[in-house]
C-alpha cells in the first residue's frame, strides 16, 4: 500500500475519500494522536526459588477520558534490562480497573482483587463471561507477553475515564497483579513454573486449608512466599525486579468506536438456567486444569495431544475484531469455532529457540493473534460458540490454562462526509 500525502493546496480532493481508504486512516491518526507512556510497578524482591504474587493498587495510569489502544508488559531488573524467563518466570500479569471512594485509604499489596468490593472500593471488571472475581482483567498475559499482539485497530478503543460512569464521590483507579517465580538454581525449572506441589512442599493453600489428594500442582501450591526446591548447595542473591508496562491511548472523541472485552476459559463448567427474564448462564470458571500423560512409558510420539472443548452460549451480540490467548508450556494452540465447526479464530504458540530474551528455548514466548476485517465476524446473542484448547500430553502438565480473549464492537465505522474529513486535516 502506498503512502498517503495530502497536499496542502488541494483539500477538496478529500471529498473522494471514504472511511475505508488509507488516506482517511491517516487523517484519523492525525486527529487522534497516539500517546505512549512506560511505567514501573513497585519493586518485587525475589531470591532463588521464591515466588511473588503481588497486587499493586493505585498504579500509574493515564488520566482523563481516553480510549485505550494497547497494553504490554515485561519483567525488568534494577538497570531496566529485560529478565529472561529461565531466571524469573512470568506466570501471569493482569491489569484490573476499580473505583475508589475519594479520600479512602491505601490497600495492602497482599490483598487480592476478590476483596475489593466494599463501601469504599468497587471492582470494575470486563464484560465477562466468567463469574465475578474471575478473569475480570482488561489486559493480561504470561510468558508470551513479549511477542503477543494485542493492539486495537484504528477507529476503535476501550473507553476509560468517562465521568458519567463513575458513582458519585468515586474515582477510577487501577491495580496490577504480578505472579513471578524465580527459577535460578531450582531442581526442575518446568516443574517449578507448573507449580508442582511436591517441589514446593505444599499441602495446604494460602488460607491453611488442606489440598485434595489428587491436586498435583497449580496456583494453590505457588502462592506468595512459597519456595521451590533448590539444587543442593546452590547459593544465590536476592534481586529486585519490576513489571514494566507500556500503555498506548488516544483522547476519547466521537470518531472512536468503543470496544468491549470478553474472556473465555476452557475450564468453564457453566450451566444454562431459566428465569422470568429468559435464558441465563451460570458460569464456573476453574482457571486451571491438569494434563494427564498419554501413556505410562513417557515415550514421545506425534499423537500425544490433549484436546479440551467447551460450548458457550453468547450473552451478547456484536462484531468480533480480534482474538488472543493464554497457554502454558506444552500448549499447542487454541481456537474459537461456530457451532457448525467453522473456524472464527485460531491461535498458535511461539516457542523460543535460544538463550536471548524473547527467544528462551522451551518457553512460550508469544502467541499469534487474529485480526478480522471489521464487520466480517458477527456474534449473535444466544449463539453457541465452541472453545478448544490443545496441549501436548507426552508428559504430565499441572496448573495449565486455556484462556481466549476477544475484542467486540457494537458498531462499524460510518463513511465520513467531505466536511468531516476536511475538518480533521491539520494544516
Amino acid at each position: 500500500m502506498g503512502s498517503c500525502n495530502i497536499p496542502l493546496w488541494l483539500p477538496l480532493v478529500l471529498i473522494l475519500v471514504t472511511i475505508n481508504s488509507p488516506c482517511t486512516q491517516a487523517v484519523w491518526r492525525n486527529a487522534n494522536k497516539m500517546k505512549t507512556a512506560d511505567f514501573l510497578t513497585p519493586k518485587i524482591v525475589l531470591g532463588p526459588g521464591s515466588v511473588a504474587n503481588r497486587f499493586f493498587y493505585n498504579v500509574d495510569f493515564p488520566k482523563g477520558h481516553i480510549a485505550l489502544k494497547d497494553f504490554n508488559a515485561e519483567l525488568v531488573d534494577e538497570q531496566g534490562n529485560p529478565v529472561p524467563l529461565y531466571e524469573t518466570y512470568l506466570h501471569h500479569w493482569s491489569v484490573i480497573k476499580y473505583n475508589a471512594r475519594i479520600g479512602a485509604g491505601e490497600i495492602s499489596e497482599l490483598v487480592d482483587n476478590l476483596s475489593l468490593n466494599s463501601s469504599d472500593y468497587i471492582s470494575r471488571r470486563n464484560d465477562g463471561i466468567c463469574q465475578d472475581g474471575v478473569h475480570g482483567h482488561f489486559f493480561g498475559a504470561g510468558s508470551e507477553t513479549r511477542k503477543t499482539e494485542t493492539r486495537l485497530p484504528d477507529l476503535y478503543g476501550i473507553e476509560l475515564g468517562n465521568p458519567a460512569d463513575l458513582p458519585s464521590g468515586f474515582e477510577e483507579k487501577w491495580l496490577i497483579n504480578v505472579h513471578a517465580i524465580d527459577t535460578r538454581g531450582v531442581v526442575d525449572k518446568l516443574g517449578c513454573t507448573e507449580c508442582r506441589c511436591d517441589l514446593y512442599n505444599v499441602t495446604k493453600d494460602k488460607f491453611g486449608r488442606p489440598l485434595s489428594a489428587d491436586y498435583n500442582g497449580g496456583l494453590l501450591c505457588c502462592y506468595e512466599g512459597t519456595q521451590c526446591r533448590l539444587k543442593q548447595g546452590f547459593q544465590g542473591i536476592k534481586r529486585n525486579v519490576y513489571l514494566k508496562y507500556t500503555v498506548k491511548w488516544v483522547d476519547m472523541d466521537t470518531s472512536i468506536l468503543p470496544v468491549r472485552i470478553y474472556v473465555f476459559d476452557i475450564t468453564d463448567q457453566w450451566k444454562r438456567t431459566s428465569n422470568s427474564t429468559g435464558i441465563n448462564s451460570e458460569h464456573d470458571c476453574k482457571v486451571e486444569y491438569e494434563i494427564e500423560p498419554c501413556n505410562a512409558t513417557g515415550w514421545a510420539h506425534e499423537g500425544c495431544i490433549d484436546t479440551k472443548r467447551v460450548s458457550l452460549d453468547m450473552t451478547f451480540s456484536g462484531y468480533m475484531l480480534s482474538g488472543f490467548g493464554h497457554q502454558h508450556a506444552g500448549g499447542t494452540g487454541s481456537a474459537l469455532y461456530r457451532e457448525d465447526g467453522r473456524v472464527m479464530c485460531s491461535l498458535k504458540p511461539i516457542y523460543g529457540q535460544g538463550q536471548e530474551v524473547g527467544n528462551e528455548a522451551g518457553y512460550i514466548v508469544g502467541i499469534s493473534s487474529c485480526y478480522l476485517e471489521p464487520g466480517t465476524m458477527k456474534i449473535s446473542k444466544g449463539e453457541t460458540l465452541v472453545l478448544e484448547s490443545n496441549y501436548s500430553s507426552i508428559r504430565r502438565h499441572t496448573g495449565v490454562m486455556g484462556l481466549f480473549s476477544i475484542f467486540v464492537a457494537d458498531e462499524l465505522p460510518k463513511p465520513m462526509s467531505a466536511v468531516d474529513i476536511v475538518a480533521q486535516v491539520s494544516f
Side-chain angles (χ1 to χ4, degrees):
M1 183 178 293
S3 62
C4 178
N5 297 315
I6 302 175
L8 298 181
W9 48 270
L10 199 57
L12 292 181
V13 170
L14 294 174
I15 295 174
L16 302 176
V17 178
T18 67
I19 193 66
N20 292 319
S21 77
C23 292
T24 301
Q25 295 296 316
V27 170
W28 183 88
R29 284 190 291 269
N30 189 49
N32 297 267
K33 293 187 183 300
M34 186 80 73
K35 301 177 178 67
T36 302
D38 293 328
F39 303 103
L40 293 176
T41 64
K43 69 181 179 183
I44 302 168
V45 182
L46 288 170
S50 66
V51 177
N53 189 22
R54 308 292 289 277
F55 292 82
F56 297 112
Y57 290 83
N58 194 23
V59 296
D60 292 328
F61 204 86
K63 303 294 185 182
H65 192 188
I66 65 172
L68 188 62
K69 299 292 294 180
D70 201 1
F71 193 110
N72 292 293
E74 65 172 344
L75 285 178
V76 298
D77 62 18
E78 284 278 12
Q79 288 72 44
N81 301 313
V83 177
L85 292 169
Y86 51 77
E87 291 185 2
T88 301
Y89 179 74
L90 184 54
H91 185 282
H92 70 262
W93 61 265
S94 58
V95 57
I96 301 165
K97 182 171 73 169
Y98 69 100
N99 294 155
R101 189 179 299 279
I102 296 173
E106 294 298 318
I107 310 174
S108 166
E109 293 174 4
L110 300 181
V111 175
D112 64 36
N113 63 301
L114 293 176
S115 307
L116 266 183
N117 291 313
S118 68
S119 60
D120 289 332
Y121 305 98
I122 306 170
S123 181
R124 295 297 187 190
R125 59 169 300 139
N126 57 44
D127 284 277
I129 57 175
C130 290
Q131 69 273 25
D132 285 346
V134 178
H135 304 321
H137 54 274
F138 279 64
F139 281 92
S143 67
E144 75 279 1
T145 186
R146 290 185 174 112
K147 290 186 176 179
T148 299
E149 184 70 67
T150 58
R151 63 174 176 79
L152 279 159
D154 284 353
L155 303 179
Y156 294 97
I158 301 168
E159 184 177 8
L160 302 174
N162 187 345
D165 294 336
L166 281 171
S168 178
F170 282 77
E171 57 188 336
E172 184 176 280
K173 293 191 176 184
W174 293 86
L175 77 86
I176 292 180
N177 172 219
V178 183
H179 188 191
I181 303 171
D182 192 313
T183 59
R184 292 173 295 159
V186 299
V187 296
D188 182 349
K189 287 183 182 289
L190 180 59
C192 291
T193 61
E194 292 191 337
C195 300
R196 270 178 38 197
C197 300
D198 60 326
L199 292 175
Y200 285 88
N201 193 29
V202 169
T203 59
K204 298 179 180 180
D205 68 15
K206 67 179 182 179
F207 302 108
R209 299 172 299 200
L211 300 175
S212 62
D214 61 351
Y215 187 80
N216 296 302
L219 292 169
L220 300 183
C221 287
C222 59
Y223 45 88
E224 173 77 27
T226 53
Q227 175 74 38
C228 201
R229 189 185 309 157
L230 297 175
K231 297 173 183 176
Q232 187 173 1
F234 181 83
Q235 298 291 325
I237 62 171
K238 290 184 177 181
R239 68 176 180 183
N240 299 332
V241 297
Y242 306 79
L243 189 77
K244 176 184 176 182
Y245 55 103
T246 301
V247 188
K248 296 183 179 181
W249 75 98
V250 296
D251 293 331
M252 188 68 189
D253 64 32
T254 55
S255 71
I256 301 168
L257 299 176
V259 168
R260 291 175 280 117
I261 306 164
Y262 292 89
V263 180
F264 305 144
D265 187 340
I266 197 66
T267 68
D268 193 349
Q269 298 180 7
W270 71 282
K271 59 182 179 180
R272 189 180 289 113
T273 60
S274 300
N275 58 27
S276 59
T277 61
I279 303 298
N280 292 289
S281 300
E282 293 182 2
H283 292 270
D284 185 12
C285 298
K286 300 297 185 181
V287 181
E288 58 183 6
Y289 64 110
E290 186 167 313
I291 305 294
E292 295 290 343
C294 61
N295 57 54
T297 66
W299 290 101
H301 61 82
E302 293 297 325
C304 284
I305 297 294
D306 178 275
T307 297
K308 192 174 180 69
R309 286 190 170 199
V310 61
S311 296
L312 301 166
D313 285 356
M314 298 297 100
T315 58
F316 61 92
S317 61
Y319 299 95
M320 179 176 166
L321 300 176
S322 60
F324 53 98
H326 173 65
Q327 287 188 312
H328 292 184
T332 60
S334 58
L336 190 65
Y337 298 91
R338 300 279 192 191
E339 194 172 21
D340 62 7
R342 286 178 294 163
V343 178
M344 299 175 68
C345 177
S346 181
L347 310 176
K348 293 293 183 183
I350 304 165
Y351 280 88
Q353 304 292 328
Q355 288 294 304
E356 65 272 23
V357 171
N359 189 37
E360 298 94 330
Y363 294 88
I364 292 181
V365 297
I367 295 180
S368 65
S369 304
C370 64
Y371 282 86
L372 309 169
E373 186 68 26
T376 60
M377 193 66 70
K378 176 73 180 293
I379 296 174
S380 300
K381 186 175 182 179
E383 179 181 6
T384 298
L385 302 183
V386 179
L387 176 62
E388 178 181 284
S389 178
N390 298 304
Y391 272 84
S392 167
S393 58
I394 293 172
R395 51 154 290 169
R396 181 189 302 275
H397 292 282
T398 59
V400 303
M401 296 183 180
L403 304 185
F404 203 107
S405 301
I406 63 173
F407 289 141
V408 176
D410 290 328
E411 302 177 57
L412 296 176
K414 294 180 174 62
M416 295 172 67
S417 69
V419 172
D420 291 334
I421 294 172
V422 173
Q424 289 194 31
V425 178
S426 297
F427 293 101

